[in-house]
Amino acid sequence: MSTAAPTDRPPSVDTLARSLAPSGLPHAICVDLAREAIAAGDARSAPARAEAFTRTLLTPVVNATGVLLHTNLGRAPVEIARSAHPVNVELDLGTGERGSRQHAVGQLFARLCGAEAAMIVNNNAAAVLLVAAALASGRQVLVSRGESVEIGGSFRIPEVLEQSGATLVDVGTTNRTRVGDYRRALTRKTADVAMVLKVHPSNYRVEGFVEGTAVAQLAELGVVIVADIGSGLLDATCPWLKGPPPAWLADEPAAVQTLAAGADLITFSADKLLGGPQAGIIAGSADLVAACGRHPLARALRPGGLTLAALQATALSYLHRRAATEIPFWRMVATPVGELRTRAETIEAQCPQATAVPTDALPGAGSAPGATMPSYGLRLDGDHLSRLRSLEPPIIARVREGHTYLDLRSVEPSDDRLLVAAVS
Ligand SMILES: *Cc1c(COP(=O)(O)O)cnc(C)c1O
C-alpha cells in the first residue's frame, strides 16, 4: 500500500545501511536502523535515526549546570589513566600467593578514616545491604523513625533491611528520637538486637522541633553502632584544603569524627563528597569488617579492578594532601570565586550574546541540601538547552526564568573555549 510513485523505490537495506557509515556507528547497528527506516516507509529518516541512536550512547559532556556532583552525569568526575597491563588485583607481590582484592585500597581507607580496617563494595547501597546481612540477618536492627529514609533512586532503609534478612525495629518518633528510646527497645522482652543503624538523611532537611541522637550517646548503649554517613566526607576539618572547611559542609557527618565518636562501622559513597569513582566504603572495627568480607554477598558486591585502581588514586591524593588540586570535585570547590569571575568576563568579551553574572553552585548528589557556594557564569537570553546538548561534546546547562545559565564552577577551565565556541 505504498503511496510513493513507482519510480521512487526505497533503497535496499544494504545500500541505506552503508550510507550511514559516516555516523561512525557499527555496521550491524546501521543495518538495524536502515531496516527500521524502510519498515516505517521513510528511508530518508535513516540519518536522523542514526543521529538519535548516537545520542543514546555514553559520551563525555561539559557540565555547566553548577551542580558539581550531578547524579545524571555520574556524580563525581574522575580522571582515569590506565594502561592495558593487568593489575595485581588479587596477587600478593610479596609472596607470589593469591591475595585479597580488598587489601590494597582497604588499608588506605582504614588509614584515612582512622579505622582498624576497611573494605570496598560497588556503592553505598551495597555497603548497607552487606553490613545488615552479615551482622544482623535473622536479628533486629534499631532505626530511628526520623532516619528510616528514602534516598534518591529508591534506596529505602526499610526495604534494604528486609532484603538483608534483618528485622527493622522503629525507635522514637519521626521528629524526635532520644537515647532513652533506643534503650527501651534494647531492654524489651523480645529484644534480639544485632545493631543500631544511624542513617544520615542526606538529601533533605527537617527543621524545627526535631532531635536525633548523637553517635557518642549511642556508643554508650553497649550494642554495635553502624552509621551510614552517606556523602563520604572524610574529615570534618578538611585538612586537604588551604583554608577552613567551607560553611556549607557544616551539617555533613564525616568519617573520621563519626568513628572517633564511637561508631563501630561506617558506610559511605565514594562518588559524592569523596570525589572518587562509584563505590561504597565500609570502615571500622577489624572483626566486623572481616565478618562483612566473609558473607556470601561480598562476592556479588565486590568491585572490579578499574574501580579499585581509580579509588586507590583518590585515596593516595588525600594521603598526599593533594586532594584540592588532584581531585576534580575538590578542585572545583576550592576555586576562588574571583577566578570564576575573570573566566566569565573573558568569555563575555568574546561573545556579545553572553553576560557574565554571579550564580550559586551546588554540591549536588543529595549532599548538603539547600547549601550553595558563590560562583560565576554566563547568562543567555532564551532557552538554549536543547541546542547546547546537541553539540559535540554536549554542554549541559540550566534554564531559569527564561534565561540559560552556564555556571563555570563545574566546568574545567580548559573547556572554556568550548563554551566560547558554543555561544558565539
Ligand atoms: C547516597 C546515599 C546512599 C546511597 O549511596 P549509593 O552510593 O548511591 O548507593 C545511601 N545512604 C545515604 C545516607 C546516602 O546519602
Side-chain angles (χ1 to χ4, degrees), residues 75 122-126 128 149 151 155 157 199-203 228-231 267-272 278-280 365-366:
R75 294 192 184 151
N122 279 329
N123 53 29
N124 189 27
V128 175
V149 299
I151 291 162
F155 173 84
I157 289 293
V199 184
H200 178 53
S202 296
N203 46 3
D228 170 9
I229 63 170
S231 292
T267 75
F268 55 92
S269 300
D271 55 355
K272 295 183 181 172
Q278 180 191 304

Side-chain angles (χ1 to χ4, degrees), residues 134-346:
L135 307 184
S137 182
R139 300 182 64 199
Q140 297 173 346
V141 175
L142 306 187
V143 181
S144 160
R145 283 197 166 83
E147 297 174 3
S148 205
V149 299
E150 169 170 331
I151 291 162
S154 73
F155 173 84
R156 312 180 89 195
I157 289 293
E159 290 170 11
V160 172
L161 288 182
E162 192 182 319
Q163 289 300 319
S164 76
T167 304
L168 168 73
V169 176
D170 292 310
V171 174
T173 64
T174 52
N175 58 329
R176 309 194 94 188
T177 304
R178 303 179 187 80
V179 71
D181 296 319
Y182 289 98
R183 198 167 285 126
R184 258 191 307 285
L186 277 169
T187 52
R188 251 178 232 138
K189 240 204 248 104
T190 54
D192 175 25
V193 177
M195 66 190 214
V196 168
L197 175 63
K198 185 167 176 63
V199 184
H200 178 53
S202 296
N203 46 3
Y204 68 95
R205 187 129 301 156
V206 182
E207 278 168 16
F209 194 59
V210 288
E211 183 177 339
T213 308
V215 168
Q217 272 184 298
L218 295 176
E220 291 169 8
L221 290 169
V223 62
V224 169
I225 307 298
V226 176
D228 170 9
I229 63 170
S231 292
L233 177 64
L234 273 183
D235 185 331
T237 67
C238 299
W240 55 89
L241 294 181
K242 274 207 202 88
W248 56 267
L249 276 177
D251 292 326
E252 283 297 322
V256 168
Q257 284 75 18
T258 305
L259 287 169
D264 298 287
L265 275 188
I266 54 171
T267 75
F268 55 92
S269 300
D271 55 355
K272 295 183 181 172
L273 297 177
L274 187 76
Q278 180 191 304
I281 320 279
I282 301 170
S285 115
D287 287 353
L288 299 181
V289 172
C292 293
R294 281 193 304 269
H295 191 275
L297 264 182
R299 174 65 175 76
L301 304 176
R302 76 179 190 183
L306 276 174
T307 298
L308 289 172
L311 201 52
Q312 173 172 292
T314 306
L316 290 173
S317 282
Y318 277 103
L319 288 164
H320 283 304
R321 301 249 171 136
R322 296 199 290 249
T325 51
E326 288 183 353
I327 295 182
F329 169 70
W330 287 105
R331 202 158 63 212
M332 292 171 188
V333 169
T335 307
V337 70
E339 223 168 272
L340 300 173
R341 180 180 182 157
T342 304
R343 284 168 54 195
E345 289 170 351
T346 305

Side-chain angles (χ1 to χ4, degrees), residues 106-126:
Q107 65 183 350
L108 301 181
F109 274 94
R111 179 68 179 77
L112 283 166
C113 298
E116 286 174 8
M119 68 177 284
I120 319 300
V121 289
N122 279 329
N123 53 29
N124 189 27

Side-chain angles (χ1 to χ4, degrees), residues 386-400:
S386 163
R387 198 182 58 78
L388 289 167
R389 275 202 315 275
S390 73
L391 297 171
E392 187 52 47
I395 295 172
I396 315 299
R398 280 198 294 183
V399 159
R400 231 182 32 240

Side-chain angles (χ1 to χ4, degrees), residues 3-172:
T3 53
T7 50
D8 192 14
R9 289 242 305 280
S12 73
V13 167
D14 190 54
T15 310
L16 190 55
R18 272 187 282 112
S19 77
L20 298 178
S23 69
L25 290 171
H27 185 66
I29 302 287
C30 292
V31 169
D32 292 347
L33 296 170
R35 273 211 186 95
E36 285 170 20
I38 290 169
D42 186 9
R44 264 173 300 192
S45 70
R49 287 169 192 269
E51 195 184 322
F53 187 92
T54 301
R55 296 235 241 143
T56 65
L57 298 177
L58 302 180
T59 183
V61 303
V62 176
N63 175 9
T65 62
V67 180
L68 307 192
L69 304 168
H70 200 300
T71 301
N72 296 355
L73 304 179
R75 294 192 184 151
V78 275
E79 241 169 77
I80 300 177
R82 192 167 184 270
S83 78
H85 283 103
V87 173
N88 57 323
V89 175
E90 289 193 1
L91 176 70
D92 182 329
L93 292 176
T95 63
E97 306 281 315
R98 178 162 188 181
S100 155
R101 93 168 37 215
Q102 294 292 346
H103 182 68
V105 187
Q107 65 183 350
L108 301 181
F109 274 94
R111 179 68 179 77
L112 283 166
C113 298
E116 286 174 8
M119 68 177 284
I120 319 300
V121 289
N122 279 329
N123 53 29
N124 189 27
V128 175
L129 174 67
L130 179 58
V131 168
L135 307 184
S137 182
R139 300 182 64 199
Q140 297 173 346
V141 175
L142 306 187
V143 181
S144 160
R145 283 197 166 83
E147 297 174 3
S148 205
V149 299
E150 169 170 331
I151 291 162
S154 73
F155 173 84
R156 312 180 89 195
I157 289 293
E159 290 170 11
V160 172
L161 288 182
E162 192 182 319
Q163 289 300 319
S164 76
T167 304
L168 168 73
V169 176
D170 292 310
V171 174

Side-chain angles (χ1 to χ4, degrees), residues 323-415:
T325 51
E326 288 183 353
I327 295 182
F329 169 70
W330 287 105
R331 202 158 63 212
M332 292 171 188
V333 169
T335 307
V337 70
E339 223 168 272
L340 300 173
R341 180 180 182 157
T342 304
R343 284 168 54 195
E345 289 170 351
T346 305
I347 297 173
E348 181 186 42
Q350 300 168 72
C351 309
Q353 311 86 327
T355 312
V357 289
T359 54
D360 285 324
L362 312 169
S367 308
T372 60
M373 52 194 106
S375 184
Y376 239 84
L378 296 148
R379 189 184 63 210
L380 308 172
D381 283 339
D383 180 341
H384 302 284
L385 293 190
S386 163
R387 198 182 58 78
L388 289 167
R389 275 202 315 275
S390 73
L391 297 171
E392 187 52 47
I395 295 172
I396 315 299
R398 280 198 294 183
V399 159
R400 231 182 32 240
E401 290 157 8
H403 299 291
T404 301
Y405 288 86
L406 300 159
D407 193 308
L408 294 183
R409 193 174 283 285
S410 53
V411 176
E412 285 291 338
S414 57
D415 286 342

